[in-house]
Amino acid sequence: MVTQEFEQRTRQLIDSLKGICAAYGLGNDGNEFKIITQVFLYKFLNDKFTYEAKKIRPELGQALTWEKAMAALTIDELDMLQLQMGPDTARLKPEHFLAHLFGRQNAPEFAKLFDDTLQDIAYTNNDIFAVKTDGGEKIRLFDRVSEFIADPSKRDNFCRALINKLVEFSFERIFTQKYDFYAALFEYLIKDYNSNSGGKYAEYYTPHSVAKIMAAILVPEQVRGKIKNVSCYDPSAGSGTLLMNIAHAIGEQRCSIYSQDISQKSSSLLRLNLILNNLVHSIPNVIQGNTMLHPYHREEGKTLKKFDYIVSNPPFKMDFSDFRNELDSKEHRERFFAGVPNTPKQAVGKMAIYQLFLQHIIHSLKPGGKAAVVVPTGFTSAQSGIDKGIRQHLVDNRMLAGVVAMPSNIFATTGTNVSILFIDATNKENVVLIDASGLGTKVKDGKNQKTLLSDAEEDRIIATFNSKQAEEDFAVVVSYADIAAKDYSLSAGQYFEVKIEYSELTPVQFTAEMRGFSERLNKLFDESTGLKADINKQLAGLRYE
């Protein structure tokens, strides 16, 4: 009950911040998401510091005004307090606290004070919280928020409105909650900003059902709590839904997250997601850049880094024509073992960039690594080309765990049918193929139709896959030889047993059935004869005018 109530209050806070932006002319503005997410993060970091400080020094929580008690600490005491805090807690000074800004909101040039405070927090915590680009630049935690307001005369009031809204709210009571709680908040926070309207670098929010299935198959229940010191990678991370799910399954402190994404916006949202989910230690591994052209993560010998787990929902049709020729070179040839797809001169939407990501993922796996990748369902049965070459590589090298064909419209924003491809370099035996296309309930999602899986349906897919159990018209377990014999098809339907049902008939029943067939057939013949005469009559009556 407390969690539900708090989630509702948090949503109200987010809506209020959006309302302030709208009142100052920034509703649906390209910079609105920066303001909302950064102000939300500033409040979160404040409250996380408060929560940790009161745990370490209970007298702070017992003080009439804890901020004053905090400000009264000596420099040595404050340094010791911060040393005792975990790495997930931002280093803050007394002048960084929200209460300090609230008390000075009537000061002249308040917007400058607000921006300077955020900048100092970003600078103080730059080594931990900055996202890097593939060129080595660091993207700091905060922008100068007030400067998104074009009219300088309105900036002070804008920042005062934000501060007054933040001071009414506190995260402190909820810091004991785990990932599932923050996932719902994060999705609500970014729901208007993770654009899926298409374009060159369209971003899609991966449904939680897909993320849950991927994590539960890669990290089954029986091994949870036993895995440690592993690396998890997503080369097209977006805002991090897949990475959060697998980190939650393994344990946030048992794994390190690595990512790369071409979108600066997505990389900033991923950073926020990592902070919300006790994965701050992985922020230095978040890279904003072009994974295909400039893969960032490398070993000391400069070869591409290999990972224990890889999850990805790569773009299916992104335009890469401006750098396609650079990929078809000696430098990249080992990585793209099945080839680089052509970029058509027309119909840019048909560019199969997922083929590049899929080969990159296979190349980036450790010898015993596992991966789960969302692919268009057409990939599983393509008769030739790069798709078939990739499947053949997986089968011939015995590194395939299976495929789950998902229901149509599992992504509300794209009509492409998708499947989840599971790669496992340790699986040398049978492969599981599941056809879950018949599951789910169709619902309206705005102007689009979406398919929702129930918890029971998700659990059915997971249990069937992990137990390697065949189920009529739903799942088959096949050998690598079986797949090779079917021209490397990974479509479950091609392996389902075709059953012919026979009915026992007596001689009398058989004669009656045949008589009925003959009578119906003779009737159709008579109709066709009459129709033929009719047509000839009509044709004979036609005259040229």
Side-chain angles (χ1 to χ4, degrees):
M1 184 66 183
V2 173
T3 302
Q4 290 178 341
E5 179 186 343
F6 187 84
E7 184 176 331
Q8 182 59 35
R9 289 187 58 219
T10 310
R11 290 178 177 225
Q12 290 171 356
L13 169 66
I14 295 166
D15 289 341
S16 296
L17 295 174
K18 290 180 179 179
I20 292 171
C21 286
Y24 283 84
L26 291 171
N28 297 319
D29 182 271
N31 293 311
E32 184 191 21
F33 94 94
K34 294 182 180 179
I35 297 170
I36 300 298
T37 55
Q38 290 183 30
V39 169
F40 183 88
L41 178 56
Y42 169 62
K43 176 60 176 170
F44 183 88
L45 294 179
N46 257 261
D47 290 352
K48 182 74 182 293
F49 185 97
T50 304
Y51 173 77
E52 296 294 339
K54 290 178 180 178
K55 277 203 311 182
I56 296 168
R57 297 189 66 131
E59 70 272 17
L60 293 174
Q62 295 162 8
L64 187 62
T65 307
W66 93 269
E67 291 89 353
K68 289 184 179 179
M70 184 78 184
L73 294 178
T74 67
I75 293 176
D76 288 343
E77 287 175 324
L78 185 59
D79 287 343
M80 180 56 68
L81 177 64
Q82 294 191 339
L83 283 172
Q84 291 175 283
M85 291 181 175
D88 286 358
T89 306
R91 300 312 186 236
L92 301 182
K93 306 168 188 175
E95 61 266 28
H96 291 159
F97 298 140
L98 182 61
H100 178 77
L101 287 177
F102 180 74
R104 296 193 59 191
Q105 62 178 298
N106 292 321
E109 296 189 308
F110 177 70
K112 182 178 184 303
L113 174 63
F114 181 73
D115 285 341
D116 287 347
T117 300
L118 295 187
Q119 288 296 295
D120 196 41
I121 294 172
Y123 179 79
T124 303
N125 295 276
N126 203 41
D127 288 344
I128 300 173
F129 288 96
V131 168
K132 286 183 288 190
T133 69
D134 55 9
E137 293 296 315
K138 287 189 174 183
I139 304 170
R140 287 191 184 175
L141 196 57
F142 297 118
D143 295 297
R144 299 190 69 84
V145 169
S146 77
E147 293 183 3
F148 292 120
I149 300 291
D151 185 348
S153 68
K154 296 180 179 179
R155 290 174 182 172
D156 286 350
N157 286 336
F158 175 68
C159 292
R160 289 186 187 109
L162 294 175
I163 287 293
N164 282 306
K165 187 56 63 178
L166 294 178
V167 82
E168 299 171 357
F169 182 86
S170 175
F171 282 103
E172 281 190 68
R173 287 171 46 205
I174 215 73
F175 280 119
T176 54
Q177 296 301 313
K178 291 291 287 180
Y179 166 78
D180 290 336
F181 170 74
Y182 287 109
L185 282 189
F186 183 77
E187 184 171 6
Y188 189 77
L189 178 65
I190 71 166
K191 68 184 177 69
D192 295 328
Y193 309 128
N194 214 28
S195 170
N196 50 38
S197 58
K200 186 164 183 175
Y201 301 125
E203 298 156 77
Y204 295 92
Y205 193 92
T206 306
H208 281 298
S209 59
V210 174
K212 173 186 171 181
I213 290 168
M214 290 168 74
I217 290 175
L218 288 177
V219 189
E221 285 289 343
Q222 62 267 27
V223 303
R224 297 192 179 188
K226 300 175 183 177
I227 302 171
K228 59 183 180 180
N229 299 326
V230 293
S231 55
C232 304
Y233 174 55
D234 188 338
S236 56
S239 53
T241 303
L242 296 179
L243 285 171
M244 296 307 104
N245 273 266
I246 193 166
H248 182 52
I250 294 169
E252 294 87 350
Q253 303 309 312
R254 293 172 170 269
C255 64
S256 294
I257 298 297
Y258 293 82
S259 74
Q260 191 163 345
D261 196 286
I262 200 166
S263 166
Q264 183 171 316
K265 179 175 73 173
S266 288
S267 298
S268 295
L269 292 174
L270 173 57
R271 169 171 56 189
L272 172 58
N273 216 354
L274 291 170
I275 293 170
L276 292 177
N277 288 283
N278 292 323
L279 284 158
V280 170
H281 61 275
S282 289
I283 290 178
N285 303 326
V286 174
I287 303 300
Q288 184 257 310
N290 187 328
T291 310
M292 295 299 95
L293 192 56
H294 303 296
Y296 181 86
H297 299 292
R298 295 178 180 271
E299 306 289 2
E300 290 183 9
K302 301 300 183 182
T303 58
L304 287 185
K305 185 175 178 63
K306 307 290 185 178
F307 300 94
D308 297 291
Y309 293 92
I310 303 179
V311 288
S312 186
N313 175 21
F316 289 176
K317 301 173 183 178
M318 188 182 88
D319 180 2
F320 61 98
S321 57
D322 51 352
F323 61 87
R324 191 263 176 204
N325 290 339
E326 294 180 66
L327 297 176
D328 195 11
S329 64
K330 184 179 179 181
E331 177 189 356
H332 300 284
R333 205 155 289 153
E334 181 182 0
R335 191 165 46 130
F336 304 127
F337 55 85
V340 176
N342 290 321
T343 55
K345 294 180 180 179
Q346 295 179 335
V348 169
K350 293 184 179 180
M351 293 183 179
I353 194 171
Y354 72 89
Q355 296 172 340
L356 295 173
F357 275 94
L358 194 45
Q359 292 177 81
H360 171 77
I361 287 166
I362 294 168
H363 183 74
S364 300
L365 269 181
K366 283 185 177 179
K370 298 182 179 182
V373 190
V374 179
V375 296
T377 294
F379 163 83
T380 65
S381 58
Q383 296 298 305
S384 60
I386 294 174
D387 284 339
K388 183 181 176 183
I390 296 172
R391 297 199 312 269
Q392 185 168 347
H393 178 91
L394 293 172
V395 172
D396 291 350
N397 289 280
R398 292 177 173 258
M399 54 187 305
L400 180 65
V403 174
V404 177
M406 299 297 287
S408 61
N409 300 115
I410 198 73
F411 289 80
T413 52
T414 173
T416 305
N417 290 335
V418 304
S419 296
I420 308 174
L421 175 72
F422 290 92
I423 303 168
D424 183 353
T426 67
N427 183 47
K428 304 304 180 184
E429 299 301 327
N430 294 329
V431 174
V432 183
L433 304 178
I434 293 178
D435 182 2
S437 61
L439 302 184
T441 302
K442 306 289 185 186
V443 298
K444 289 291 288 182
D445 185 4
K447 297 180 180 179
N448 301 310
Q449 182 171 266
K450 185 177 183 179
T451 301
L452 296 179
L453 292 176
S454 67
D455 290 343
E457 289 172 325
E458 292 168 1
D459 292 341
R460 179 189 176 192
I461 293 170
I462 294 163
T464 302
F465 195 104
N466 285 342
S467 63
K468 288 194 172 185
Q469 292 294 314
E471 187 176 329
E472 186 175 338
D473 293 333
F474 181 69
V476 292
V477 181
V478 297
S479 68
Y480 284 108
D482 293 334
I483 297 174
K486 288 279 189 181
D487 204 23
Y488 298 95
S489 172
L490 304 180
S491 175
Q494 294 200 24
Y495 299 87
F496 288 152
E497 183 180 352
V498 179
K499 295 186 177 181
I500 301 175
E501 295 186 5
Y502 296 91
S503 298
E504 293 290 337
L505 297 176
T506 65
V508 174
Q509 290 171 325
F510 176 78
T511 302
E513 287 283 340
M514 293 304 295
R515 187 183 303 116
F517 290 147
S518 295
E519 289 173 354
R520 286 193 292 276
L521 195 58
N522 287 332
K523 185 178 179 182
L524 290 172
F525 285 156
D526 290 342
E527 290 177 356
S528 69
T529 301
L531 185 60
K532 179 181 177 181
D534 230 17
I535 292 171
N536 285 330
K537 183 178 178 182
Q538 294 291 334
L539 288 172
L542 291 175
R543 295 288 184 272
Y544 175 78
E545 293 182 4

